[in-house]
Amino acid sequence: MTQTQENCRAVDLSFYKSWLSEEIRDEGREKGRAEGRAQDILLVLEQRGLNVSDEIRTRITDCRDPELLDHWLTRAIIAPSAEKIFEEE
């Protein structure tokens, strides 16, 4: 057996199967979904030709609430301006 093979066998991989590791992966997935949804909102607004200010862009991309992002995406489809996606119905 080579030294490299011995080193690989000696590595403790239990962390990758632990609850903490799972929690970290879950948080990463949630963050990724939120970032994707934020990009969807921005894409809809931009494709509709609506002006998206830096303030609006930041508010959308900083949001991590999936329900709120879904609500904003739905509103982005019909809102007359980017600012209107934040207004209550």
Side-chain angles (χ1 to χ4, degrees), residues 61-80:
T61 58
D62 285 351
C63 182
R64 294 289 174 252
D65 180 343
E67 290 179 21
L68 184 55
L69 288 165
D70 285 345
H71 179 71
W72 289 349
L73 179 58
T74 301
R75 293 191 52 99
I77 296 167
I78 59 170

Side-chain angles (χ1 to χ4, degrees), residues 4-66:
T4 303
Q5 290 171 326
E6 287 180 29
N7 289 344
C8 288
R9 291 182 65 196
V11 175
D12 179 10
L13 301 176
S14 62
F15 171 77
Y16 298 101
K17 297 179 181 181
S18 70
W19 66 269
L20 180 58
S21 178
E22 283 296 321
E23 191 172 302
I24 291 168
R25 282 193 291 273
D26 288 344
E27 287 175 12
R29 286 183 197 105
E30 288 176 24
K31 181 180 177 190
R33 282 191 286 272
E35 289 171 357
R37 185 52 47 104
Q39 292 305 314
D40 293 344
I41 295 166
L42 294 171
L43 178 63
V44 168
L45 294 172
E46 290 166 0
Q47 289 298 307
R48 293 190 57 227
L50 300 177
N51 181 40
V52 179
S53 68
D54 289 340
E55 180 182 330
I56 291 171
R57 183 177 302 279
T58 299
R59 184 171 176 187
I60 292 169
T61 58
D62 285 351
C63 182
R64 294 289 174 252
D65 180 343

